[in-house]
Amino acid sequence: ESVNVLNLNTDFFGYLKGGHSFSYGLEWTHNKINSEAYAIDLELDFERITGFSNRRPIPTRYPDNGSSAYSFAVYLNWIYELNEMTSLNAGLRFTSSSLKGAWNKISSVDKLLSSVELDSEALTYTLAVTYRPDKKLQINGLFSSGFRNPNIDDIGKIRESKENLIVPNPFLYPEYAYNFEIGITHYLPKAKNNLIII
């Protein structure tokens, strides 16, 4: 396998009067994957290898006619110190992803499968609040969403593992998650001992 990776990340930070702070940035990635596999017969003289013959293509680990994965994302995060006891945090992230792969007929496990293409977009978010009524107690609440796009390993891999054959699945779709968390932290007299309830 040969993988070429290009990646660009930028992050910026800023502050405003009244307890506001923010960060924003973007991410761009582009991966190109080439996969090649073949079988050969060994020519032996007792236990010594003297040559090779009958080279022939076999199914590759990833799409043998090439594959690529691309993504672009922008994000914005905002923190507001409402007062000494309460702070708010809100964030947004927009992601656009594209995945492509193609197989040659000679090495395709599924004769009906010649190519796969998956384009997806997602807007994920985070909303959190932290409340500190005194120096010994902190209460946190968080609601967030998540997004994961299938990658080449998920959608186009051919591999034997523990006597099971894994074959390409062009029908996978992005996964979404929604999370809610609440936590209570109580600081005990000794600085190294904290009681955390989640």
Side-chain angles (χ1 to χ4, degrees):
E1 276 71 43
S2 173
V3 182
N4 296 315
V5 179
L6 296 174
N7 193 327
L8 173 66
N9 285 281
T10 62
D11 297 287
F12 304 94
F13 304 90
Y15 302 90
L16 297 173
K17 293 181 180 179
H20 299 272
S21 62
F22 60 90
S23 60
Y24 60 96
L26 61 86
E27 178 189 59
W28 175 84
T29 65
H30 181 73
N31 299 340
K32 186 171 178 60
I33 303 99
N34 292 311
S35 189
E36 181 182 1
Y38 58 88
I40 55 175
D41 296 332
L42 301 180
E43 298 175 355
L44 302 174
D45 181 9
F46 294 101
E47 295 181 354
R48 186 169 62 91
I49 299 174
T50 59
F52 309 94
S53 63
N54 192 25
R55 174 170 167 153
R56 55 203 179 275
I58 59 174
T60 55
R61 183 181 180 93
Y62 299 111
D64 62 349
N65 207 27
S67 55
S68 63
Y70 157 89
S71 70
F72 176 78
V74 293
Y75 80 90
L76 172 65
N77 190 62
W78 166 70
I79 299 175
Y80 176 42
E81 298 292 341
L82 186 63
N83 52 49
E84 293 183 356
M85 295 186 298
T86 308
S87 60
L88 303 175
N89 184 3
L92 288 173
R93 178 184 173 96
F94 174 77
T95 305
S96 176
S97 303
S98 179
L99 180 69
K100 296 180 181 180
W103 289 264
N104 290 318
K105 292 181 180 179
I106 193 169
S107 60
S108 177
V109 171
D110 184 348
K111 297 302 180 182
L112 299 177
L113 179 64
S114 60
S115 64
V116 61
E117 183 172 351
L118 176 63
D119 297 318
S120 58
E121 296 178 343
L123 180 66
T124 54
Y125 49 85
T126 297
L127 181 61
V129 59
T130 300
Y131 178 61
R132 298 172 293 272
D134 55 50
K135 294 182 179 181
K136 295 182 180 180
L137 183 65
Q138 177 174 302
I139 303 172
N140 304 305
L142 170 69
F143 182 74
S144 65
S145 66
F147 162 78
R148 181 183 180 275
N149 200 48
N151 56 38
I152 295 296
D153 200 64
D154 298 323
I155 210 167
K157 180 171 62 177
I158 300 175
R159 179 173 170 264
E160 186 276 332
S161 177
K162 298 180 180 179
E163 300 182 356
N164 293 315
L165 180 62
I166 300 172
V167 297
N169 183 358
F171 303 107
L172 294 178
Y173 294 98
E175 301 170 357
Y176 298 89
Y178 301 93
N179 310 292
F180 176 72
E181 301 175 17
I182 187 167
I184 301 174
T185 303
H186 180 65
Y187 298 93
L188 300 176
K190 291 184 179 180
K192 294 183 179 179
N193 298 325
N194 300 320
L195 177 63
I196 301 174
I197 302 172
I198 298 177

PDB file of all heavy atoms in Angstrom, residues 128-165:
ATOM      1  N   ALA A 128     -22.253  23.725  26.540  1.00  0.00           N
ATOM      2  CA  ALA A 128     -21.850  23.310  27.879  1.00  0.00           C
ATOM      3  C   ALA A 128     -21.998  24.467  28.849  1.00  0.00           C
ATOM      4  O   ALA A 128     -21.877  25.639  28.473  1.00  0.00           O
ATOM      5  CB  ALA A 128     -20.403  22.814  27.869  1.00  0.00           C
ATOM      6  N   VAL A 129     -22.234  24.123  30.109  1.00  0.00           N
ATOM      7  CA  VAL A 129     -22.324  25.128  31.167  1.00  0.00           C
ATOM      8  C   VAL A 129     -21.563  24.601  32.388  1.00  0.00           C
ATOM      9  O   VAL A 129     -21.598  23.405  32.695  1.00  0.00           O
ATOM     10  CB  VAL A 129     -23.798  25.436  31.534  1.00  0.00           C
ATOM     11  CG1 VAL A 129     -24.515  24.183  32.010  1.00  0.00           C
ATOM     12  CG2 VAL A 129     -23.871  26.542  32.576  1.00  0.00           C
ATOM     13  N   THR A 130     -20.838  25.499  33.029  1.00  0.00           N
ATOM     14  CA  THR A 130     -20.105  25.167  34.251  1.00  0.00           C
ATOM     15  C   THR A 130     -20.542  26.123  35.350  1.00  0.00           C
ATOM     16  O   THR A 130     -20.529  27.348  35.161  1.00  0.00           O
ATOM     17  CB  THR A 130     -18.581  25.286  34.034  1.00  0.00           C
ATOM     18  OG1 THR A 130     -18.173  24.388  32.996  1.00  0.00           O
ATOM     19  CG2 THR A 130     -17.829  24.930  35.310  1.00  0.00           C
ATOM     20  N   TYR A 131     -20.920  25.551  36.501  1.00  0.00           N
ATOM     21  CA  TYR A 131     -21.402  26.356  37.628  1.00  0.00           C
ATOM     22  C   TYR A 131     -20.544  26.043  38.855  1.00  0.00           C
ATOM     23  O   TYR A 131     -20.386  24.883  39.239  1.00  0.00           O
ATOM     24  CB  TYR A 131     -22.873  26.043  37.903  1.00  0.00           C
ATOM     25  CG  TYR A 131     -23.451  26.793  39.078  1.00  0.00           C
ATOM     26  CD1 TYR A 131     -23.506  28.186  39.088  1.00  0.00           C
ATOM     27  CD2 TYR A 131     -23.950  26.103  40.176  1.00  0.00           C
ATOM     28  CE1 TYR A 131     -24.039  28.872  40.174  1.00  0.00           C
ATOM     29  CE2 TYR A 131     -24.486  26.771  41.271  1.00  0.00           C
ATOM     30  CZ  TYR A 131     -24.522  28.162  41.256  1.00  0.00           C
ATOM     31  OH  TYR A 131     -25.032  28.843  42.329  1.00  0.00           O
ATOM     32  N   ARG A 132     -19.980  27.081  39.455  1.00  0.00           N
ATOM     33  CA  ARG A 132     -19.117  26.935  40.623  1.00  0.00           C
ATOM     34  C   ARG A 132     -19.704  27.764  41.782  1.00  0.00           C
ATOM     35  O   ARG A 132     -19.349  28.950  41.944  1.00  0.00           O
ATOM     36  CB  ARG A 132     -17.707  27.411  40.291  1.00  0.00           C
ATOM     37  CG  ARG A 132     -17.022  26.619  39.174  1.00  0.00           C
ATOM     38  CD  ARG A 132     -15.708  27.233  38.754  1.00  0.00           C
ATOM     39  NE  ARG A 132     -15.920  28.526  38.109  1.00  0.00           N
ATOM     40  CZ  ARG A 132     -16.151  28.690  36.810  1.00  0.00           C
ATOM     41  NH1 ARG A 132     -16.212  27.637  36.011  1.00  0.00           N
ATOM     42  NH2 ARG A 132     -16.342  29.904  36.306  1.00  0.00           N
ATOM     43  N   PRO A 133     -20.571  27.190  42.591  1.00  0.00           N
ATOM     44  CA  PRO A 133     -21.197  27.955  43.679  1.00  0.00           C
ATOM     45  C   PRO A 133     -20.201  28.370  44.762  1.00  0.00           C
ATOM     46  O   PRO A 133     -20.398  29.363  45.447  1.00  0.00           O
ATOM     47  CB  PRO A 133     -22.255  26.999  44.225  1.00  0.00           C
ATOM     48  CG  PRO A 133     -21.799  25.645  43.810  1.00  0.00           C
ATOM     49  CD  PRO A 133     -21.102  25.817  42.515  1.00  0.00           C
ATOM     50  N   ASP A 134     -19.130  27.579  44.926  1.00  0.00           N
ATOM     51  CA  ASP A 134     -18.065  27.948  45.864  1.00  0.00           C
ATOM     52  C   ASP A 134     -16.781  27.279  45.393  1.00  0.00           C
ATOM     53  O   ASP A 134     -16.750  26.587  44.366  1.00  0.00           O
ATOM     54  CB  ASP A 134     -18.421  27.550  47.298  1.00  0.00           C
ATOM     55  CG  ASP A 134     -18.775  26.078  47.437  1.00  0.00           C
ATOM     56  OD1 ASP A 134     -17.988  25.236  46.951  1.00  0.00           O
ATOM     57  OD2 ASP A 134     -19.833  25.760  48.015  1.00  0.00           O
ATOM     58  N   LYS A 135     -15.717  27.453  46.161  1.00  0.00           N
ATOM     59  CA  LYS A 135     -14.412  26.944  45.751  1.00  0.00           C
ATOM     60  C   LYS A 135     -14.300  25.421  45.845  1.00  0.00           C
ATOM     61  O   LYS A 135     -13.374  24.831  45.288  1.00  0.00           O
ATOM     62  CB  LYS A 135     -13.312  27.587  46.595  1.00  0.00           C
ATOM     63  CG  LYS A 135     -13.165  29.089  46.354  1.00  0.00           C
ATOM     64  CD  LYS A 135     -12.016  29.653  47.181  1.00  0.00           C
ATOM     65  CE  LYS A 135     -11.851  31.149  46.909  1.00  0.00           C
ATOM     66  NZ  LYS A 135     -10.729  31.731  47.691  1.00  0.00           N
ATOM     67  N   LYS A 136     -15.226  24.781  46.535  1.00  0.00           N
ATOM     68  CA  LYS A 136     -15.143  23.336  46.733  1.00  0.00           C
ATOM     69  C   LYS A 136     -16.052  22.530  45.806  1.00  0.00           C
ATOM     70  O   LYS A 136     -15.949  21.313  45.755  1.00  0.00           O
ATOM     71  CB  LYS A 136     -15.493  22.998  48.187  1.00  0.00           C
ATOM     72  CG  LYS A 136     -14.512  23.546  49.202  1.00  0.00           C
ATOM     73  CD  LYS A 136     -14.910  23.119  50.599  1.00  0.00           C
ATOM     74  CE  LYS A 136     -13.924  23.655  51.635  1.00  0.00           C
ATOM     75  NZ  LYS A 136     -14.297  23.233  53.013  1.00  0.00           N
ATOM     76  N   LEU A 137     -16.945  23.207  45.095  1.00  0.00           N
ATOM     77  CA  LEU A 137     -17.939  22.485  44.302  1.00  0.00           C
ATOM     78  C   LEU A 137     -18.017  23.030  42.889  1.00  0.00           C
ATOM     79  O   LEU A 137     -18.017  24.248  42.680  1.00  0.00           O
ATOM     80  CB  LEU A 137     -19.312  22.577  44.974  1.00  0.00           C
ATOM     81  CG  LEU A 137     -20.460  21.813  44.313  1.00  0.00           C
ATOM     82  CD1 LEU A 137     -20.199  20.306  44.373  1.00  0.00           C
ATOM     83  CD2 LEU A 137     -21.779  22.145  45.001  1.00  0.00           C
ATOM     84  N   GLN A 138     -18.082  22.108  41.923  1.00  0.00           N
ATOM     85  CA  GLN A 138     -18.246  22.490  40.517  1.00  0.00           C
ATOM     86  C   GLN A 138     -19.235  21.539  39.857  1.00  0.00           C
ATOM     87  O   GLN A 138     -19.132  20.321  40.003  1.00  0.00           O
ATOM     88  CB  GLN A 138     -16.907  22.440  39.777  1.00  0.00           C
ATOM     89  CG  GLN A 138     -17.016  22.768  38.289  1.00  0.00           C
ATOM     90  CD  GLN A 138     -15.660  22.854  37.616  1.00  0.00           C
ATOM     91  OE1 GLN A 138     -14.811  23.651  38.014  1.00  0.00           O
ATOM     92  NE2 GLN A 138     -15.435  22.013  36.626  1.00  0.00           N
ATOM     93  N   ILE A 139     -20.197  22.113  39.114  1.00  0.00           N
ATOM     94  CA  ILE A 139     -21.210  21.318  38.415  1.00  0.00           C
ATOM     95  C   ILE A 139     -21.095  21.601  36.924  1.00  0.00           C
ATOM     96  O   ILE A 139     -21.071  22.761  36.495  1.00  0.00           O
ATOM     97  CB  ILE A 139     -22.631  21.663  38.918  1.00  0.00           C
ATOM     98  CG1 ILE A 139     -22.715  21.431  40.429  1.00  0.00           C
ATOM     99  CG2 ILE A 139     -23.676  20.822  38.189  1.00  0.00           C
ATOM    100  CD1 ILE A 139     -24.011  21.928  41.041  1.00  0.00           C
ATOM    101  N   ASN A 140     -21.017  20.536  36.123  1.00  0.00           N
ATOM    102  CA  ASN A 140     -20.866  20.658  34.672  1.00  0.00           C
ATOM    103  C   ASN A 140     -22.029  19.992  33.959  1.00  0.00           C
ATOM    104  O   ASN A 140     -22.483  18.918  34.368  1.00  0.00           O
ATOM    105  CB  ASN A 140     -19.566  19.998  34.191  1.00  0.00           C
ATOM    106  CG  ASN A 140     -18.345  20.538  34.881  1.00  0.00           C
ATOM    107  OD1 ASN A 140     -18.107  21.732  34.879  1.00  0.00           O
ATOM    108  ND2 ASN A 140     -17.570  19.653  35.484  1.00  0.00           N
ATOM    109  N   GLY A 141     -22.479  20.607  32.880  1.00  0.00           N
ATOM    110  CA  GLY A 141     -23.478  20.005  32.011  1.00  0.00           C
ATOM    111  C   GLY A 141     -23.049  20.167  30.563  1.00  0.00           C
ATOM    112  O   GLY A 141     -22.504  21.210  30.185  1.00  0.00           O
ATOM    113  N   LEU A 142     -23.248  19.135  29.759  1.00  0.00           N
ATOM    114  CA  LEU A 142     -22.797  19.167  28.360  1.00  0.00           C
ATOM    115  C   LEU A 142     -23.781  18.438  27.472  1.00  0.00           C
ATOM    116  O   LEU A 142     -24.225  17.329  27.784  1.00  0.00           O
ATOM    117  CB  LEU A 142     -21.418  18.509  28.242  1.00  0.00           C
ATOM    118  CG  LEU A 142     -20.895  18.230  26.828  1.00  0.00           C
ATOM    119  CD1 LEU A 142     -20.574  19.546  26.129  1.00  0.00           C
ATOM    120  CD2 LEU A 142     -19.671  17.338  26.868  1.00  0.00           C
ATOM    121  N   PHE A 143     -24.120  19.076  26.351  1.00  0.00           N
ATOM    122  CA  PHE A 143     -24.900  18.424  25.297  1.00  0.00           C
ATOM    123  C   PHE A 143     -24.139  18.613  23.996  1.00  0.00           C
ATOM    124  O   PHE A 143     -23.732  19.730  23.664  1.00  0.00           O
ATOM    125  CB  PHE A 143     -26.303  19.029  25.180  1.00  0.00           C
ATOM    126  CG  PHE A 143     -27.147  18.341  24.134  1.00  0.00           C
ATOM    127  CD1 PHE A 143     -27.670  17.087  24.369  1.00  0.00           C
ATOM    128  CD2 PHE A 143     -27.389  18.945  22.913  1.00  0.00           C
ATOM    129  CE1 PHE A 143     -28.434  16.437  23.410  1.00  0.00           C
ATOM    130  CE2 PHE A 143     -28.148  18.315  21.950  1.00  0.00           C
ATOM    131  CZ  PHE A 143     -28.683  17.052  22.203  1.00  0.00           C
ATOM    132  N   SER A 144     -23.909  17.521  23.267  1.00  0.00           N
ATOM    133  CA  SER A 144     -23.104  17.617  22.045  1.00  0.00           C
ATOM    134  C   SER A 144     -23.552  16.591  21.023  1.00  0.00           C
ATOM    135  O   SER A 144     -24.254  15.621  21.344  1.00  0.00           O
ATOM    136  CB  SER A 144     -21.620  17.415  22.369  1.00  0.00           C
ATOM    137  OG  SER A 144     -21.396  16.095  22.848  1.00  0.00           O
ATOM    138  N   SER A 145     -23.137  16.811  19.790  1.00  0.00           N
ATOM    139  CA  SER A 145     -23.397  15.856  18.713  1.00  0.00           C
ATOM    140  C   SER A 145     -22.070  15.508  18.043  1.00  0.00           C
ATOM    141  O   SER A 145     -21.104  16.270  18.113  1.00  0.00           O
ATOM    142  CB  SER A 145     -24.375  16.430  17.683  1.00  0.00           C
ATOM    143  OG  SER A 145     -23.805  17.538  17.007  1.00  0.00           O
ATOM    144  N   GLY A 146     -22.030  14.336  17.421  1.00  0.00           N
ATOM    145  CA  GLY A 146     -20.821  13.876  16.755  1.00  0.00           C
ATOM    146  C   GLY A 146     -21.133  13.284  15.397  1.00  0.00           C
ATOM    147  O   GLY A 146     -22.282  12.913  15.108  1.00  0.00           O
ATOM    148  N   PHE A 147     -20.100  13.193  14.569  1.00  0.00           N
ATOM    149  CA  PHE A 147     -20.265  12.721  13.192  1.00  0.00           C
ATOM    150  C   PHE A 147     -19.012  11.964  12.786  1.00  0.00           C
ATOM    151  O   PHE A 147     -17.891  12.391  13.078  1.00  0.00           O
ATOM    152  CB  PHE A 147     -20.493  13.917  12.269  1.00  0.00           C
ATOM    153  CG  PHE A 147     -20.248  13.645  10.807  1.00  0.00           C
ATOM    154  CD1 PHE A 147     -21.182  12.981  10.037  1.00  0.00           C
ATOM    155  CD2 PHE A 147     -19.072  14.066  10.190  1.00  0.00           C
ATOM    156  CE1 PHE A 147     -20.969  12.744   8.698  1.00  0.00           C
ATOM    157  CE2 PHE A 147     -18.847  13.837   8.850  1.00  0.00           C
ATOM    158  CZ  PHE A 147     -19.793  13.172   8.097  1.00  0.00           C
ATOM    159  N   ARG A 148     -19.189  10.822  12.149  1.00  0.00           N
ATOM    160  CA  ARG A 148     -18.055  10.060  11.615  1.00  0.00           C
ATOM    161  C   ARG A 148     -18.401   9.541  10.234  1.00  0.00           C
ATOM    162  O   ARG A 148     -19.396   8.848  10.051  1.00  0.00           O
ATOM    163  CB  ARG A 148     -17.708   8.883  12.529  1.00  0.00           C
ATOM    164  CG  ARG A 148     -16.514   8.067  12.023  1.00  0.00           C
ATOM    165  CD  ARG A 148     -16.235   6.871  12.914  1.00  0.00           C
ATOM    166  NE  ARG A 148     -15.110   6.086  12.432  1.00  0.00           N
ATOM    167  CZ  ARG A 148     -15.182   5.139  11.504  1.00  0.00           C
ATOM    168  NH1 ARG A 148     -16.366   4.847  10.940  1.00  0.00           N
ATOM    169  NH2 ARG A 148     -14.115   4.472  11.126  1.00  0.00           N
ATOM    170  N   ASN A 149     -17.556   9.881   9.268  1.00  0.00           N
ATOM    171  CA  ASN A 149     -17.748   9.415   7.902  1.00  0.00           C
ATOM    172  C   ASN A 149     -16.960   8.119   7.702  1.00  0.00           C
ATOM    173  O   ASN A 149     -15.844   7.992   8.209  1.00  0.00           O
ATOM    174  CB  ASN A 149     -17.252  10.479   6.913  1.00  0.00           C
ATOM    175  CG  ASN A 149     -17.849  10.296   5.538  1.00  0.00           C
ATOM    176  OD1 ASN A 149     -19.048  10.112   5.385  1.00  0.00           O
ATOM    177  ND2 ASN A 149     -17.011  10.334   4.527  1.00  0.00           N
ATOM    178  N   PRO A 150     -17.510   7.122   6.997  1.00  0.00           N
ATOM    179  CA  PRO A 150     -16.720   5.915   6.718  1.00  0.00           C
ATOM    180  C   PRO A 150     -15.424   6.280   5.994  1.00  0.00           C
ATOM    181  O   PRO A 150     -15.369   7.240   5.226  1.00  0.00           O
ATOM    182  CB  PRO A 150     -17.647   5.101   5.810  1.00  0.00           C
ATOM    183  CG  PRO A 150     -19.014   5.572   6.137  1.00  0.00           C
ATOM    184  CD  PRO A 150     -18.870   7.033   6.455  1.00  0.00           C
ATOM    185  N   ASN A 151     -14.364   5.523   6.258  1.00  0.00           N
ATOM    186  CA  ASN A 151     -13.110   5.735   5.550  1.00  0.00           C
ATOM    187  C   ASN A 151     -12.827   4.559   4.619  1.00  0.00           C
ATOM    188  O   ASN A 151     -13.619   3.621   4.524  1.00  0.00           O
ATOM    189  CB  ASN A 151     -11.959   5.966   6.543  1.00  0.00           C
ATOM    190  CG  ASN A 151     -11.832   4.823   7.544  1.00  0.00           C
ATOM    191  OD1 ASN A 151     -12.018   3.660   7.211  1.00  0.00           O
ATOM    192  ND2 ASN A 151     -11.516   5.159   8.777  1.00  0.00           N
ATOM    193  N   ILE A 152     -11.695   4.600   3.931  1.00  0.00           N
ATOM    194  CA  ILE A 152     -11.364   3.542   2.975  1.00  0.00           C
ATOM    195  C   ILE A 152     -11.278   2.191   3.672  1.00  0.00           C
ATOM    196  O   ILE A 152     -11.672   1.162   3.119  1.00  0.00           O
ATOM    197  CB  ILE A 152     -10.040   3.868   2.257  1.00  0.00           C
ATOM    198  CG1 ILE A 152     -10.182   5.133   1.405  1.00  0.00           C
ATOM    199  CG2 ILE A 152      -9.603   2.701   1.368  1.00  0.00           C
ATOM    200  CD1 ILE A 152     -11.156   5.012   0.274  1.00  0.00           C
ATOM    201  N   ASP A 153     -10.761   2.188   4.883  1.00  0.00           N
ATOM    202  CA  ASP A 153     -10.645   0.940   5.631  1.00  0.00           C
ATOM    203  C   ASP A 153     -12.022   0.345   5.929  1.00  0.00           C
ATOM    204  O   ASP A 153     -12.198  -0.870   5.913  1.00  0.00           O
ATOM    205  CB  ASP A 153      -9.883   1.201   6.931  1.00  0.00           C
ATOM    206  CG  ASP A 153      -9.303  -0.063   7.516  1.00  0.00           C
ATOM    207  OD1 ASP A 153      -8.431  -0.661   6.872  1.00  0.00           O
ATOM    208  OD2 ASP A 153      -9.743  -0.461   8.608  1.00  0.00           O
ATOM    209  N   ASP A 154     -13.017   1.182   6.177  1.00  0.00           N
ATOM    210  CA  ASP A 154     -14.382   0.708   6.460  1.00  0.00           C
ATOM    211  C   ASP A 154     -15.080   0.197   5.211  1.00  0.00           C
ATOM    212  O   ASP A 154     -15.780  -0.810   5.234  1.00  0.00           O
ATOM    213  CB  ASP A 154     -15.234   1.840   7.052  1.00  0.00           C
ATOM    214  CG  ASP A 154     -14.692   2.343   8.371  1.00  0.00           C
ATOM    215  OD1 ASP A 154     -14.203   1.521   9.150  1.00  0.00           O
ATOM    216  OD2 ASP A 154     -14.759   3.562   8.599  1.00  0.00           O
ATOM    217  N   ILE A 155     -14.903   0.922   4.124  1.00  0.00           N
ATOM    218  CA  ILE A 155     -15.783   0.736   2.969  1.00  0.00           C
ATOM    219  C   ILE A 155     -15.166  -0.094   1.838  1.00  0.00           C
ATOM    220  O   ILE A 155     -15.878  -0.602   0.977  1.00  0.00           O
ATOM    221  CB  ILE A 155     -16.215   2.120   2.441  1.00  0.00           C
ATOM    222  CG1 ILE A 155     -17.596   2.054   1.814  1.00  0.00           C
ATOM    223  CG2 ILE A 155     -15.203   2.702   1.477  1.00  0.00           C
ATOM    224  CD1 ILE A 155     -18.203   3.412   1.554  1.00  0.00           C
ATOM    225  N   GLY A 156     -13.827  -0.231   1.822  1.00  0.00           N
ATOM    226  CA  GLY A 156     -13.222  -0.869   0.662  1.00  0.00           C
ATOM    227  C   GLY A 156     -12.159  -1.903   0.957  1.00  0.00           C
ATOM    228  O   GLY A 156     -11.378  -2.260   0.078  1.00  0.00           O
ATOM    229  N   LYS A 157     -12.113  -2.426   2.170  1.00  0.00           N
ATOM    230  CA  LYS A 157     -11.029  -3.336   2.542  1.00  0.00           C
ATOM    231  C   LYS A 157     -11.357  -4.784   2.205  1.00  0.00           C
ATOM    232  O   LYS A 157     -12.464  -5.244   2.415  1.00  0.00           O
ATOM    233  CB  LYS A 157     -10.731  -3.185   4.029  1.00  0.00           C
ATOM    234  CG  LYS A 157      -9.617  -4.092   4.540  1.00  0.00           C
ATOM    235  CD  LYS A 157      -9.219  -3.742   5.955  1.00  0.00           C
ATOM    236  CE  LYS A 157     -10.355  -3.911   6.932  1.00  0.00           C
ATOM    237  NZ  LYS A 157      -9.942  -3.631   8.321  1.00  0.00           N
ATOM    238  N   ILE A 158     -10.360  -5.511   1.711  1.00  0.00           N
ATOM    239  CA  ILE A 158     -10.442  -6.957   1.535  1.00  0.00           C
ATOM    240  C   ILE A 158      -9.343  -7.562   2.401  1.00  0.00           C
ATOM    241  O   ILE A 158      -8.165  -7.264   2.218  1.00  0.00           O
ATOM    242  CB  ILE A 158     -10.242  -7.376   0.064  1.00  0.00           C
ATOM    243  CG1 ILE A 158     -11.317  -6.746  -0.814  1.00  0.00           C
ATOM    244  CG2 ILE A 158     -10.258  -8.893  -0.058  1.00  0.00           C
ATOM    245  CD1 ILE A 158     -11.117  -7.016  -2.291  1.00  0.00           C
ATOM    246  N   ARG A 159      -9.738  -8.411   3.361  1.00  0.00           N
ATOM    247  CA  ARG A 159      -8.746  -8.915   4.312  1.00  0.00           C
ATOM    248  C   ARG A 159      -9.276 -10.144   5.020  1.00  0.00           C
ATOM    249  O   ARG A 159     -10.464 -10.236   5.315  1.00  0.00           O
ATOM    250  CB  ARG A 159      -8.429  -7.817   5.328  1.00  0.00           C
ATOM    251  CG  ARG A 159      -7.431  -8.187   6.407  1.00  0.00           C
ATOM    252  CD  ARG A 159      -7.082  -6.952   7.221  1.00  0.00           C
ATOM    253  NE  ARG A 159      -6.329  -7.266   8.409  1.00  0.00           N
ATOM    254  CZ  ARG A 159      -6.843  -7.432   9.623  1.00  0.00           C
ATOM    255  NH1 ARG A 159      -8.152  -7.291   9.789  1.00  0.00           N
ATOM    256  NH2 ARG A 159      -6.088  -7.725  10.656  1.00  0.00           N
ATOM    257  N   GLU A 160      -8.376 -11.078   5.288  1.00  0.00           N
ATOM    258  CA  GLU A 160      -8.731 -12.247   6.082  1.00  0.00           C
ATOM    259  C   GLU A 160      -8.276 -12.007   7.515  1.00  0.00           C
ATOM    260  O   GLU A 160      -7.139 -11.610   7.769  1.00  0.00           O
ATOM    261  CB  GLU A 160      -8.065 -13.500   5.519  1.00  0.00           C
ATOM    262  CG  GLU A 160      -8.486 -14.799   6.198  1.00  0.00           C
ATOM    263  CD  GLU A 160      -7.693 -15.092   7.467  1.00  0.00           C
ATOM    264  OE1 GLU A 160      -6.547 -14.650   7.566  1.00  0.00           O
ATOM    265  OE2 GLU A 160      -8.255 -15.761   8.356  1.00  0.00           O
ATOM    266  N   SER A 161      -9.186 -12.212   8.465  1.00  0.00           N
ATOM    267  CA  SER A 161      -8.865 -12.015   9.869  1.00  0.00           C
ATOM    268  C   SER A 161      -9.525 -13.108  10.696  1.00  0.00           C
ATOM    269  O   SER A 161     -10.758 -13.229  10.701  1.00  0.00           O
ATOM    270  CB  SER A 161      -9.354 -10.637  10.341  1.00  0.00           C
ATOM    271  OG  SER A 161      -9.118 -10.459  11.717  1.00  0.00           O
ATOM    272  N   LYS A 162      -8.716 -13.924  11.358  1.00  0.00           N
ATOM    273  CA  LYS A 162      -9.214 -14.995  12.226  1.00  0.00           C
ATOM    274  C   LYS A 162     -10.209 -15.890  11.491  1.00  0.00           C
ATOM    275  O   LYS A 162     -11.312 -16.167  11.958  1.00  0.00           O
ATOM    276  CB  LYS A 162      -9.843 -14.411  13.488  1.00  0.00           C
ATOM    277  CG  LYS A 162      -8.862 -13.624  14.344  1.00  0.00           C
ATOM    278  CD  LYS A 162      -9.539 -13.055  15.583  1.00  0.00           C
ATOM    279  CE  LYS A 162      -8.549 -12.267  16.421  1.00  0.00           C
ATOM    280  NZ  LYS A 162      -9.180 -11.684  17.637  1.00  0.00           N
ATOM    281  N   GLU A 163      -9.818 -16.310  10.292  1.00  0.00           N
ATOM    282  CA  GLU A 163     -10.591 -17.209   9.440  1.00  0.00           C
ATOM    283  C   GLU A 163     -11.887 -16.590   8.932  1.00  0.00           C
ATOM    284  O   GLU A 163     -12.775 -17.294   8.450  1.00  0.00           O
ATOM    285  CB  GLU A 163     -10.880 -18.535  10.170  1.00  0.00           C
ATOM    286  CG  GLU A 163      -9.620 -19.290  10.572  1.00  0.00           C
ATOM    287  CD  GLU A 163      -9.919 -20.613  11.234  1.00  0.00           C
ATOM    288  OE1 GLU A 163     -11.118 -20.909  11.459  1.00  0.00           O
ATOM    289  OE2 GLU A 163      -8.969 -21.357  11.518  1.00  0.00           O
ATOM    290  N   ASN A 164     -12.023 -15.268   9.038  1.00  0.00           N
ATOM    291  CA  ASN A 164     -13.165 -14.562   8.472  1.00  0.00           C
ATOM    292  C   ASN A 164     -12.678 -13.672   7.338  1.00  0.00           C
ATOM    293  O   ASN A 164     -11.644 -13.001   7.460  1.00  0.00           O
ATOM    294  CB  ASN A 164     -13.866 -13.705   9.526  1.00  0.00           C
ATOM    295  CG  ASN A 164     -14.522 -14.547  10.601  1.00  0.00           C
ATOM    296  OD1 ASN A 164     -15.191 -15.533  10.305  1.00  0.00           O
ATOM    297  ND2 ASN A 164     -14.321 -14.172  11.849  1.00  0.00           N
ATOM    298  N   LEU A 165     -13.413 -13.642   6.231  1.00  0.00           N
ATOM    299  CA  LEU A 165     -13.054 -12.812   5.092  1.00  0.00           C
ATOM    300  C   LEU A 165     -13.850 -11.514   5.137  1.00  0.00           C
ATOM    301  O   LEU A 165     -15.073 -11.521   5.128  1.00  0.00           O
ATOM    302  CB  LEU A 165     -13.339 -13.542   3.770  1.00  0.00           C
ATOM    303  CG  LEU A 165     -12.988 -12.759   2.498  1.00  0.00           C
ATOM    304  CD1 LEU A 165     -11.494 -12.467   2.435  1.00  0.00           C
ATOM    305  CD2 LEU A 165     -13.455 -13.511   1.255  1.00  0.00           C
TER     306      LEU A 165
END
